[in-house]
Amino acid sequence: MLNRLLPPAGPARVLTGITLVHTLGQGLWMALNAIFATAVLGLSAGRFALGVGVAAGIALLVSTPTGHLADRIGPRSVQIWSFIALGPLTAALLAVEGFTAYLLVVSAQAVAYSASRSARMAMVAGLVPPQDRVSVRAYLRATSNVSVSVGAALAGLLLAADSVWAYKAAVAFNAATYLATGLLTLMLPAVAAQPARPGPALKVLRDRPYLTFVVLDGLLSMHNLLLDVVLPLWVLHRTDAPRWMIAAILLTNTAAVVLLQVRAARGTDEPRAAARASRSGALCLALACVVFSFSGGTSATLAGVLLLLGALAHVLGEIRQSAGSWGMSFALAPEHAQGQYQGTYAMGSDMGKMIAPALLTWLAIEHGSLGWLAMALGFALAGAAMPRIADRALRSREAAPEALPA
């Protein structure tokens, strides 16, 4: 298990350790965020949702500019200071009184978090050879799945305690993990800052093939919400499967990602190969949706079998599509602008997360099997377009050789 979680010694292993610490706090906070806001701060569910939505929108808007900042002054500096800023910003939630103060704090957090994310991916691009970047991302993904699960288990213990002090301790712990992550980043070598170049500063916003890839990848990334949001509602309201199937599916997904993600990422560091991986992953996701569509209106046993089969197809699609997505995001970006390109790439998944809960729930719960089949068609079409986008991007690079990666 350790061999599967840890890459070879060097910067990649340090990045993995940093990810372990960072995502441990994230896993804890993901499970307690809503409860802290409503039970401790006294916000209504509507105001909490509004705050989360505003923060997500701010993170989306500043993702490309903060990535450009990482290119210009060096991603290590941006990552260090953004994580160090997240520490006191998170602790500030302990002193929040009222919705306005809460909104200000989570908005500032969104800016710092966006900067840390863009810088982290620019660090991968700057410290890892091109042929190893996707595999390192796969290690980071597998590691984060384990760490988030541990954090969620810790959150379960705090939920069992169900006290204000337990929830406040979670805030303090999350703030400490941010500070620790910032300090651990000092162990990484610095990545050289890129000087200003002629032309527009945010050149990625004029790179149409890359932006098309980001939009399609964002649509494909909506599959991440299927297991977390849509499928639990489907199991509860549209099937006769036992409720414990929800936990079984999530555990199956976590274990499969940890065991298979690194292997699934092999051979996806070149744009056309990455595009094919994204396409095959999308087809697996489409198959999963088709299988899920048959689980409604059947016996409990058959529904359980179909749900597990669909979950296996989903996780195969997830790990393959993720690998292809990473490969294209790195390979289609100029080396001197990896920060802004990775920041823009992250915007796709952000948009997918904003759209997916309402859209996919509406399709599955309101329209049943027909809605699942519509999802399947959408995933298949988005995946089928990826090889064409890769070819178009490469032709664009050939026409502008200064944009080619070194």
Side-chain angles (χ1 to χ4, degrees):
M1 181 67 72
L2 286 176
N3 287 334
R4 292 182 184 276
L5 292 179
L6 296 177
R13 183 168 292 187
V14 178
L15 284 165
T16 303
I18 291 171
T19 300
L20 273 171
V21 176
H22 170 53
T23 52
L24 179 64
Q26 289 287 291
L28 175 70
W29 189 239
M30 283 163 55
L32 298 177
N33 186 13
I35 295 173
F36 179 82
T38 54
V40 179
L41 299 182
L43 300 180
S44 66
R47 287 197 164 187
F48 166 71
L50 177 60
V52 171
V54 169
I58 291 173
L60 187 71
L61 289 174
V62 303
S63 190
T64 301
T66 54
H68 177 60
L69 180 66
D71 289 328
R72 291 298 304 276
I73 69 174
R76 191 179 77 155
S77 296
V78 173
Q79 179 167 316
I80 290 171
W81 289 110
S82 59
F83 275 123
I84 288 178
L86 278 167
L89 285 172
T90 300
L93 289 171
L94 297 173
V96 161
E97 292 183 3
F99 176 67
T100 301
Y102 175 77
L103 189 60
L104 289 173
V105 170
V106 297
S107 297
Q109 282 181 312
V111 175
Y113 180 79
S114 180
S116 72
R117 181 179 60 183
S118 299
R120 191 161 64 251
M121 293 305 98
M123 289 287 287
V124 173
L127 295 176
V128 179
Q131 67 272 16
D132 296 329
R133 289 171 184 168
V134 177
S135 64
V136 169
R137 281 294 310 260
Y139 277 113
L140 298 182
R141 173 74 177 278
T143 300
S144 65
N145 265 39
V146 173
S147 189
V148 165
S149 299
V150 174
L154 292 175
L157 297 177
L158 295 177
L159 287 169
D162 192 25
S163 72
V164 170
W165 286 107
Y167 299 140
K168 288 184 175 181
V171 174
F173 179 82
N174 195 30
T177 61
Y178 282 129
L179 291 173
T181 302
L183 295 175
L184 286 171
T185 304
L186 291 169
M187 299 173 61
L188 290 168
V191 176
Q194 296 293 331
R197 295 171 185 258
L202 301 179
K203 63 179 299 178
V204 66
L205 299 181
R206 301 191 179 192
D207 190 336
R208 292 184 180 179
Y210 197 87
L211 292 178
T212 305
F213 153 68
V214 168
V215 171
L216 290 175
D217 186 72
L219 294 175
L220 287 176
S221 73
M222 291 196 297
H223 71 76
N224 290 311
L225 279 297
L226 280 179
L227 297 192
D228 295 338
V229 177
V230 181
L231 205 60
L233 295 174
W234 173 258
V235 171
L236 290 175
H237 299 294
R238 299 297 294 264
T239 77
D240 293 325
R243 295 189 175 191
W244 55 261
M245 281 299 304
I246 299 171
I249 290 170
L250 292 174
L251 287 173
T252 300
N253 178 270
T254 299
V257 170
V258 171
L259 295 174
L260 301 176
Q261 182 66 82
V262 174
R263 183 175 299 178
R266 291 173 184 166
T268 58
D269 45 62
E270 187 272 327
R272 289 189 173 92
R276 291 193 295 270
S278 191
R279 179 180 60 190
S280 63
L283 292 176
C284 287
L285 294 171
L287 175 62
C289 291
V290 172
V291 176
F292 288 145
S293 73
F294 289 111
S295 63
T298 64
S299 67
T301 301
L302 181 57
V305 171
L306 290 172
L307 288 169
L308 280 177
L309 289 175
L312 289 174
H314 177 277
V315 75
L316 291 176
E318 175 184 346
I319 59 178
R320 194 63 176 158
Q321 186 273 327
S322 296
S325 172
W326 301 330
M328 293 181 71
S329 74
F330 283 124
L332 297 180
E335 289 297 294
H336 66 269
Q338 284 284 356
Q340 63 171 279
Y341 270 72
Q342 296 308 315
T344 304
Y345 161 69
M347 291 173 64
S349 61
D350 284 345
M351 290 186 290
K353 289 175 184 176
M354 294 175 70
I355 297 170
L359 175 61
L360 300 188
T361 300
W362 175 72
L363 285 172
I365 305 304
E366 297 297 326
H367 299 280
S369 297
L370 186 61
W372 282 110
L373 295 177
M375 284 186 233
L377 179 61
F379 285 134
L381 290 175
M386 283 301 186
R388 291 188 178 184
I389 296 302
D391 288 339
R392 181 183 169 193
L394 290 174
R395 287 196 299 269
S396 176
R397 298 294 186 269
E398 290 170 0
E402 70 279 359
L404 281 169

